[in-house]
PDB file of all heavy atoms in Angstrom:
ATOM      1  N   PRO B 225     -13.900  11.612 -13.703  1.00 85.00           N
ATOM      2  CA  PRO B 225     -14.989  12.487 -13.327  1.00 85.00           C
ATOM      3  C   PRO B 225     -16.262  11.681 -13.134  1.00 85.00           C
ATOM      4  O   PRO B 225     -16.465  10.655 -13.710  1.00 85.00           O
ATOM      5  CB  PRO B 225     -15.167  13.426 -14.555  1.00 85.00           C
ATOM      6  CG  PRO B 225     -14.233  12.961 -15.580  1.00 85.00           C
ATOM      7  CD  PRO B 225     -13.325  11.874 -15.004  1.00 85.00           C
ATOM      8  N   GLY B 226     -17.163  12.182 -12.231  1.00 85.00           N
ATOM      9  CA  GLY B 226     -18.396  11.500 -11.944  1.00 85.00           C
ATOM     10  C   GLY B 226     -18.664  11.551 -10.441  1.00 85.00           C
ATOM     11  O   GLY B 226     -17.796  11.746  -9.660  1.00 85.00           O
ATOM     12  N   GLU B 227     -19.926  11.347 -10.153  1.00 86.00           N
ATOM     13  CA  GLU B 227     -20.330  11.430  -8.703  1.00 86.00           C
ATOM     14  C   GLU B 227     -19.849  10.231  -7.916  1.00 86.00           C
ATOM     15  O   GLU B 227     -19.303  10.326  -6.789  1.00 86.00           O
ATOM     16  CB  GLU B 227     -21.851  11.511  -8.566  1.00 86.00           C
ATOM     17  CG  GLU B 227     -22.416  12.911  -8.707  1.00 86.00           C
ATOM     18  CD  GLU B 227     -21.800  13.853  -7.628  1.00 86.00           C
ATOM     19  OE1 GLU B 227     -21.829  13.519  -6.429  1.00 86.00           O
ATOM     20  OE2 GLU B 227     -21.324  14.894  -8.086  1.00 86.00           O
ATOM     21  N   GLU B 228     -20.011   9.039  -8.588  1.00 89.00           N
ATOM     22  CA  GLU B 228     -19.596   7.824  -7.849  1.00 89.00           C
ATOM     23  C   GLU B 228     -18.083   7.688  -7.938  1.00 89.00           C
ATOM     24  O   GLU B 228     -17.560   7.820  -9.011  1.00 89.00           O
ATOM     25  CB  GLU B 228     -20.279   6.561  -8.478  1.00 89.00           C
ATOM     26  CG  GLU B 228     -20.000   5.330  -7.724  1.00 89.00           C
ATOM     27  CD  GLU B 228     -20.217   4.092  -8.590  1.00 89.00           C
ATOM     28  OE1 GLU B 228     -19.891   4.063  -9.780  1.00 89.00           O
ATOM     29  OE2 GLU B 228     -20.784   3.117  -8.062  1.00 89.00           O
ATOM     30  N   PRO B 229     -17.439   7.439  -6.805  1.00 90.00           N
ATOM     31  CA  PRO B 229     -15.938   7.353  -6.898  1.00 90.00           C
ATOM     32  C   PRO B 229     -15.509   6.286  -7.856  1.00 90.00           C
ATOM     33  O   PRO B 229     -15.896   5.128  -7.766  1.00 90.00           O
ATOM     34  CB  PRO B 229     -15.593   6.959  -5.448  1.00 90.00           C
ATOM     35  CG  PRO B 229     -16.692   7.406  -4.653  1.00 90.00           C
ATOM     36  CD  PRO B 229     -17.920   7.278  -5.400  1.00 90.00           C
ATOM     37  N   HIS B 230     -14.689   6.667  -8.800  1.00 93.00           N
ATOM     38  CA  HIS B 230     -14.159   5.741  -9.814  1.00 93.00           C
ATOM     39  C   HIS B 230     -12.635   6.071  -9.919  1.00 93.00           C
ATOM     40  O   HIS B 230     -12.312   7.052 -10.532  1.00 93.00           O
ATOM     41  CB  HIS B 230     -14.836   5.860 -11.165  1.00 93.00           C
ATOM     42  CG  HIS B 230     -14.457   4.758 -12.140  1.00 93.00           C
ATOM     43  ND1 HIS B 230     -15.039   4.615 -13.359  1.00 93.00           N
ATOM     44  CD2 HIS B 230     -13.534   3.854 -12.060  1.00 93.00           C
ATOM     45  CE1 HIS B 230     -14.515   3.593 -14.005  1.00 93.00           C
ATOM     46  NE2 HIS B 230     -13.601   3.082 -13.234  1.00 93.00           N
ATOM     47  N   ILE B 231     -11.797   5.300  -9.231  1.00 95.00           N
ATOM     48  CA  ILE B 231     -10.420   5.619  -9.123  1.00 95.00           C
ATOM     49  C   ILE B 231      -9.621   4.589 -10.031  1.00 95.00           C
ATOM     50  O   ILE B 231      -9.884   3.458 -10.001  1.00 95.00           O
ATOM     51  CB  ILE B 231      -9.920   5.476  -7.618  1.00 95.00           C
ATOM     52  CG1 ILE B 231     -10.681   6.551  -6.820  1.00 95.00           C
ATOM     53  CG2 ILE B 231      -8.430   5.711  -7.548  1.00 95.00           C
ATOM     54  CD1 ILE B 231     -10.352   6.485  -5.311  1.00 95.00           C
ATOM     55  N   LEU B 232      -8.723   5.156 -10.858  1.00 96.00           N
ATOM     56  CA  LEU B 232      -7.924   4.336 -11.696  1.00 96.00           C
ATOM     57  C   LEU B 232      -6.570   4.202 -11.025  1.00 96.00           C
ATOM     58  O   LEU B 232      -5.964   5.128 -10.588  1.00 96.00           O
ATOM     59  CB  LEU B 232      -7.728   4.949 -13.056  1.00 96.00           C
ATOM     60  CG  LEU B 232      -8.829   5.058 -14.028  1.00 96.00           C
ATOM     61  CD1 LEU B 232      -8.436   5.683 -15.322  1.00 96.00           C
ATOM     62  CD2 LEU B 232      -9.424   3.685 -14.274  1.00 96.00           C
ATOM     63  N   LEU B 233      -6.062   2.920 -10.992  1.00 97.00           N
ATOM     64  CA  LEU B 233      -4.741   2.676 -10.539  1.00 97.00           C
ATOM     65  C   LEU B 233      -3.831   2.302 -11.684  1.00 97.00           C
ATOM     66  O   LEU B 233      -4.159   1.410 -12.493  1.00 97.00           O
ATOM     67  CB  LEU B 233      -4.719   1.521  -9.514  1.00 97.00           C
ATOM     68  CG  LEU B 233      -4.840   1.856  -8.055  1.00 97.00           C
ATOM     69  CD1 LEU B 233      -6.267   2.343  -7.768  1.00 97.00           C
ATOM     70  CD2 LEU B 233      -4.641   0.596  -7.204  1.00 97.00           C
ATOM     71  N   GLU B 234      -2.652   3.035 -11.797  1.00 97.00           N
ATOM     72  CA  GLU B 234      -1.746   2.641 -12.882  1.00 97.00           C
ATOM     73  C   GLU B 234      -0.626   1.869 -12.232  1.00 97.00           C
ATOM     74  O   GLU B 234      -0.083   2.247 -11.205  1.00 97.00           O
ATOM     75  CB  GLU B 234      -1.175   3.971 -13.409  1.00 97.00           C
ATOM     76  CG  GLU B 234       0.001   3.794 -14.351  1.00 97.00           C
ATOM     77  CD  GLU B 234       0.923   5.054 -14.364  1.00 97.00           C
ATOM     78  OE1 GLU B 234       0.403   6.190 -14.395  1.00 97.00           O
ATOM     79  OE2 GLU B 234       2.190   4.827 -14.232  1.00 97.00           O
ATOM     80  N   CYS B 235      -0.319   0.765 -12.918  1.00 97.00           N
ATOM     81  CA  CYS B 235       0.777  -0.098 -12.318  1.00 97.00           C
ATOM     82  C   CYS B 235       1.549  -0.644 -13.491  1.00 97.00           C
ATOM     83  O   CYS B 235       1.113  -0.638 -14.664  1.00 97.00           O
ATOM     84  CB  CYS B 235       0.147  -1.201 -11.456  1.00 97.00           C
ATOM     85  SG  CYS B 235      -0.822  -2.372 -12.399  1.00 97.00           S
ATOM     86  N   ASP B 236       2.663  -1.294 -13.164  1.00 97.00           N
ATOM     87  CA  ASP B 236       3.451  -2.049 -14.127  1.00 97.00           C
ATOM     88  C   ASP B 236       2.541  -3.064 -14.789  1.00 97.00           C
ATOM     89  O   ASP B 236       1.815  -3.760 -14.093  1.00 97.00           O
ATOM     90  CB  ASP B 236       4.629  -2.717 -13.405  1.00 97.00           C
ATOM     91  CG  ASP B 236       5.638  -3.268 -14.337  1.00 97.00           C
ATOM     92  OD1 ASP B 236       5.344  -4.002 -15.219  1.00 97.00           O
ATOM     93  OD2 ASP B 236       6.891  -2.936 -14.135  1.00 97.00           O
ATOM     94  N   SER B 237       2.671  -3.228 -16.125  1.00 96.00           N
ATOM     95  CA  SER B 237       1.839  -4.184 -16.823  1.00 96.00           C
ATOM     96  C   SER B 237       1.959  -5.622 -16.213  1.00 96.00           C
ATOM     97  O   SER B 237       0.991  -6.336 -16.179  1.00 96.00           O
ATOM     98  CB  SER B 237       2.166  -4.340 -18.279  1.00 96.00           C
ATOM     99  OG  SER B 237       2.344  -3.138 -18.860  1.00 96.00           O
ATOM    100  N   SER B 238       3.158  -5.974 -15.830  1.00 96.00           N
ATOM    101  CA  SER B 238       3.343  -7.383 -15.349  1.00 96.00           C
ATOM    102  C   SER B 238       2.748  -7.428 -13.918  1.00 96.00           C
ATOM    103  O   SER B 238       2.592  -8.568 -13.389  1.00 96.00           O
ATOM    104  CB  SER B 238       4.760  -7.728 -15.301  1.00 96.00           C
ATOM    105  OG  SER B 238       5.455  -6.891 -14.415  1.00 96.00           O
ATOM    106  N   ALA B 239       2.465  -6.336 -13.294  1.00 97.00           N
ATOM    107  CA  ALA B 239       1.893  -6.370 -11.935  1.00 97.00           C
ATOM    108  C   ALA B 239       0.377  -6.293 -11.952  1.00 97.00           C
ATOM    109  O   ALA B 239      -0.197  -6.346 -10.829  1.00 97.00           O
ATOM    110  CB  ALA B 239       2.487  -5.239 -11.107  1.00 97.00           C
ATOM    111  N   LEU B 240      -0.260  -6.233 -13.111  1.00 97.00           N
ATOM    112  CA  LEU B 240      -1.710  -6.011 -13.113  1.00 97.00           C
ATOM    113  C   LEU B 240      -2.397  -7.173 -12.426  1.00 97.00           C
ATOM    114  O   LEU B 240      -3.279  -7.022 -11.542  1.00 97.00           O
ATOM    115  CB  LEU B 240      -2.180  -5.837 -14.528  1.00 97.00           C
ATOM    116  CG  LEU B 240      -3.705  -5.669 -14.662  1.00 97.00           C
ATOM    117  CD1 LEU B 240      -4.182  -4.386 -14.018  1.00 97.00           C
ATOM    118  CD2 LEU B 240      -4.149  -5.663 -16.127  1.00 97.00           C
ATOM    119  N   ASP B 241      -2.103  -8.402 -12.841  1.00 96.00           N
ATOM    120  CA  ASP B 241      -2.837  -9.588 -12.237  1.00 96.00           C
ATOM    121  C   ASP B 241      -2.503  -9.668 -10.711  1.00 96.00           C
ATOM    122  O   ASP B 241      -3.427  -9.902  -9.921  1.00 96.00           O
ATOM    123  CB  ASP B 241      -2.445 -10.848 -12.949  1.00 96.00           C
ATOM    124  CG  ASP B 241      -3.150 -10.984 -14.273  1.00 96.00           C
ATOM    125  OD1 ASP B 241      -4.159 -10.259 -14.464  1.00 96.00           O
ATOM    126  OD2 ASP B 241      -2.724 -11.771 -15.138  1.00 96.00           O
ATOM    127  N   PRO B 242      -1.214  -9.620 -10.308  1.00 97.00           N
ATOM    128  CA  PRO B 242      -0.986  -9.738  -8.841  1.00 97.00           C
ATOM    129  C   PRO B 242      -1.638  -8.578  -8.103  1.00 97.00           C
ATOM    130  O   PRO B 242      -2.091  -8.800  -6.970  1.00 97.00           O
ATOM    131  CB  PRO B 242       0.594  -9.604  -8.769  1.00 97.00           C
ATOM    132  CG  PRO B 242       1.146 -10.032 -10.123  1.00 97.00           C
ATOM    133  CD  PRO B 242       0.031  -9.644 -11.097  1.00 97.00           C
ATOM    134  N   LEU B 243      -1.658  -7.376  -8.700  1.00 97.00           N
ATOM    135  CA  LEU B 243      -2.321  -6.252  -7.927  1.00 97.00           C
ATOM    136  C   LEU B 243      -3.752  -6.495  -7.771  1.00 97.00           C
ATOM    137  O   LEU B 243      -4.366  -6.259  -6.745  1.00 97.00           O
ATOM    138  CB  LEU B 243      -2.007  -4.960  -8.664  1.00 97.00           C
ATOM    139  CG  LEU B 243      -2.740  -3.716  -8.078  1.00 97.00           C
ATOM    140  CD1 LEU B 243      -2.290  -3.455  -6.650  1.00 97.00           C
ATOM    141  CD2 LEU B 243      -2.454  -2.458  -8.972  1.00 97.00           C
ATOM    142  N   GLN B 244      -4.368  -7.001  -8.867  1.00 97.00           N
ATOM    143  CA  GLN B 244      -5.825  -7.273  -8.797  1.00 97.00           C
ATOM    144  C   GLN B 244      -6.143  -8.368  -7.738  1.00 97.00           C
ATOM    145  O   GLN B 244      -7.079  -8.184  -6.948  1.00 97.00           O
ATOM    146  CB  GLN B 244      -6.305  -7.751 -10.145  1.00 97.00           C
ATOM    147  CG  GLN B 244      -7.756  -7.665 -10.397  1.00 97.00           C
ATOM    148  CD  GLN B 244      -8.185  -7.954 -11.820  1.00 97.00           C
ATOM    149  OE1 GLN B 244      -7.356  -8.126 -12.690  1.00 97.00           O
ATOM    150  NE2 GLN B 244      -9.454  -7.964 -12.023  1.00 97.00           N
ATOM    151  N   ARG B 245      -5.294  -9.355  -7.688  1.00 96.00           N
ATOM    152  CA  ARG B 245      -5.512 -10.383  -6.664  1.00 96.00           C
ATOM    153  C   ARG B 245      -5.271  -9.794  -5.256  1.00 96.00           C
ATOM    154  O   ARG B 245      -5.971 -10.106  -4.322  1.00 96.00           O
ATOM    155  CB  ARG B 245      -4.511 -11.585  -6.871  1.00 96.00           C
ATOM    156  CG  ARG B 245      -4.949 -12.544  -7.962  1.00 96.00           C
ATOM    157  CD  ARG B 245      -4.177 -13.823  -7.775  1.00 96.00           C
ATOM    158  NE  ARG B 245      -2.771 -13.659  -8.022  1.00 96.00           N
ATOM    159  CZ  ARG B 245      -2.144 -13.709  -9.158  1.00 96.00           C
ATOM    160  NH1 ARG B 245      -2.804 -13.911 -10.261  1.00 96.00           N
ATOM    161  NH2 ARG B 245      -0.828 -13.480  -9.266  1.00 96.00           N
ATOM    162  N   HIS B 246      -4.232  -8.997  -5.123  1.00 95.00           N
ATOM    163  CA  HIS B 246      -3.971  -8.367  -3.843  1.00 95.00           C
ATOM    164  C   HIS B 246      -5.171  -7.486  -3.377  1.00 95.00           C
ATOM    165  O   HIS B 246      -5.636  -7.658  -2.232  1.00 95.00           O
ATOM    166  CB  HIS B 246      -2.768  -7.412  -4.041  1.00 95.00           C
ATOM    167  CG  HIS B 246      -2.286  -6.691  -2.843  1.00 95.00           C
ATOM    168  ND1 HIS B 246      -1.460  -7.257  -1.881  1.00 95.00           N
ATOM    169  CD2 HIS B 246      -2.516  -5.395  -2.416  1.00 95.00           C
ATOM    170  CE1 HIS B 246      -1.215  -6.367  -0.967  1.00 95.00           C
ATOM    171  NE2 HIS B 246      -1.856  -5.262  -1.218  1.00 95.00           N
ATOM    172  N   LEU B 247      -5.773  -6.730  -4.236  1.00 96.00           N
ATOM    173  CA  LEU B 247      -6.915  -5.918  -3.909  1.00 96.00           C
ATOM    174  C   LEU B 247      -8.143  -6.808  -3.536  1.00 96.00           C
ATOM    175  O   LEU B 247      -8.814  -6.584  -2.589  1.00 96.00           O
ATOM    176  CB  LEU B 247      -7.319  -4.925  -4.996  1.00 96.00           C
ATOM    177  CG  LEU B 247      -6.282  -3.858  -5.346  1.00 96.00           C
ATOM    178  CD1 LEU B 247      -6.781  -2.965  -6.426  1.00 96.00           C
ATOM    179  CD2 LEU B 247      -5.914  -3.024  -4.131  1.00 96.00           C
ATOM    180  N   LYS B 248      -8.313  -7.882  -4.296  1.00 94.00           N
ATOM    181  CA  LYS B 248      -9.463  -8.762  -4.084  1.00 94.00           C
ATOM    182  C   LYS B 248      -9.350  -9.494  -2.743  1.00 94.00           C
ATOM    183  O   LYS B 248     -10.362  -9.719  -2.105  1.00 94.00           O
ATOM    184  CB  LYS B 248      -9.682  -9.750  -5.275  1.00 94.00           C
ATOM    185  CG  LYS B 248     -10.183  -9.016  -6.466  1.00 94.00           C
ATOM    186  CD  LYS B 248     -10.670  -9.903  -7.571  1.00 94.00           C
ATOM    187  CE  LYS B 248     -11.400  -9.088  -8.599  1.00 94.00           C
ATOM    188  NZ  LYS B 248     -11.431  -9.668  -9.950  1.00 94.00           N
ATOM    189  N   LEU B 249      -8.082  -9.765  -2.392  1.00 93.00           N
ATOM    190  CA  LEU B 249      -7.865 -10.463  -1.131  1.00 93.00           C
ATOM    191  C   LEU B 249      -8.384  -9.629   0.047  1.00 93.00           C
ATOM    192  O   LEU B 249      -8.962 -10.163   1.031  1.00 93.00           O
ATOM    193  CB  LEU B 249      -6.409 -10.765  -0.952  1.00 93.00           C
ATOM    194  CG  LEU B 249      -5.974 -11.420   0.383  1.00 93.00           C
ATOM    195  CD1 LEU B 249      -6.536 -12.782   0.520  1.00 93.00           C
ATOM    196  CD2 LEU B 249      -4.408 -11.515   0.478  1.00 93.00           C
ATOM    197  N   TYR B 250      -8.133  -8.354  -0.039  1.00 94.00           N
ATOM    198  CA  TYR B 250      -8.487  -7.471   1.123  1.00 94.00           C
ATOM    199  C   TYR B 250      -9.789  -6.814   0.940  1.00 94.00           C
ATOM    200  O   TYR B 250     -10.245  -6.023   1.808  1.00 94.00           O
ATOM    201  CB  TYR B 250      -7.392  -6.404   1.343  1.00 94.00           C
ATOM    202  CG  TYR B 250      -6.043  -7.036   1.677  1.00 94.00           C
ATOM    203  CD1 TYR B 250      -4.963  -7.165   0.798  1.00 94.00           C
ATOM    204  CD2 TYR B 250      -5.873  -7.599   2.965  1.00 94.00           C
ATOM    205  CE1 TYR B 250      -3.817  -7.738   1.111  1.00 94.00           C
ATOM    206  CE2 TYR B 250      -4.681  -8.231   3.282  1.00 94.00           C
ATOM    207  CZ  TYR B 250      -3.655  -8.291   2.391  1.00 94.00           C
ATOM    208  OH  TYR B 250      -2.490  -8.882   2.767  1.00 94.00           O
ATOM    209  N   LYS B 251     -10.544  -7.106  -0.059  1.00 94.00           N
ATOM    210  CA  LYS B 251     -11.833  -6.450  -0.332  1.00 94.00           C
ATOM    211  C   LYS B 251     -12.866  -6.937   0.630  1.00 94.00           C
ATOM    212  O   LYS B 251     -13.603  -6.137   1.264  1.00 94.00           O
ATOM    213  CB  LYS B 251     -12.254  -6.710  -1.750  1.00 94.00           C
ATOM    214  CG  LYS B 251     -13.677  -6.290  -2.095  1.00 94.00           C
ATOM    215  CD  LYS B 251     -13.929  -6.460  -3.589  1.00 94.00           C
ATOM    216  CE  LYS B 251     -15.087  -7.330  -3.951  1.00 94.00           C
ATOM    217  NZ  LYS B 251     -16.364  -6.732  -3.549  1.00 94.00           N
ATOM    218  N   ILE B 252     -12.983  -8.158   0.863  1.00 92.00           N
ATOM    219  CA  ILE B 252     -13.925  -8.833   1.784  1.00 92.00           C
ATOM    220  C   ILE B 252     -15.349  -8.344   1.459  1.00 92.00           C
ATOM    221  O   ILE B 252     -15.910  -8.738   0.431  1.00 92.00           O
ATOM    222  CB  ILE B 252     -13.613  -8.729   3.269  1.00 92.00           C
ATOM    223  CG1 ILE B 252     -12.125  -9.045   3.520  1.00 92.00           C
ATOM    224  CG2 ILE B 252     -14.469  -9.679   4.052  1.00 92.00           C
ATOM    225  CD1 ILE B 252     -11.736  -9.088   4.933  1.00 92.00           C
ATOM    226  N   ARG B 253     -15.916  -7.458   2.207  1.00 90.00           N
ATOM    227  CA  ARG B 253     -17.278  -7.032   1.980  1.00 90.00           C
ATOM    228  C   ARG B 253     -17.453  -5.606   1.480  1.00 90.00           C
ATOM    229  O   ARG B 253     -18.563  -5.105   1.393  1.00 90.00           O
ATOM    230  CB  ARG B 253     -18.123  -7.210   3.294  1.00 90.00           C
ATOM    231  CG  ARG B 253     -18.289  -8.656   3.678  1.00 90.00           C
ATOM    232  CD  ARG B 253     -18.849  -8.759   5.069  1.00 90.00           C
ATOM    233  NE  ARG B 253     -20.267  -8.419   5.129  1.00 90.00           N
ATOM    234  CZ  ARG B 253     -21.231  -9.206   4.769  1.00 90.00           C
ATOM    235  NH1 ARG B 253     -20.971 -10.429   4.371  1.00 90.00           N
ATOM    236  NH2 ARG B 253     -22.489  -8.844   4.945  1.00 90.00           N
TER     237      ARG B 253
END
Side-chain angles (χ1 to χ4, degrees):
Chain B
E227 274 303 309
E228 185 198 41
H230 189 174
I231 297 176
L232 289 182
L233 267 69
E234 169 207 316
C235 65
D236 190 308
S237 315
S238 65
L240 178 64
D241 283 341
L243 175 61
Q244 197 172 356
R245 279 197 297 274
H246 180 83
L247 295 182
K248 287 193 168 155
L249 175 65
Y250 295 106
K251 171 173 124 66
I252 312 185
R253 290 170 74 83

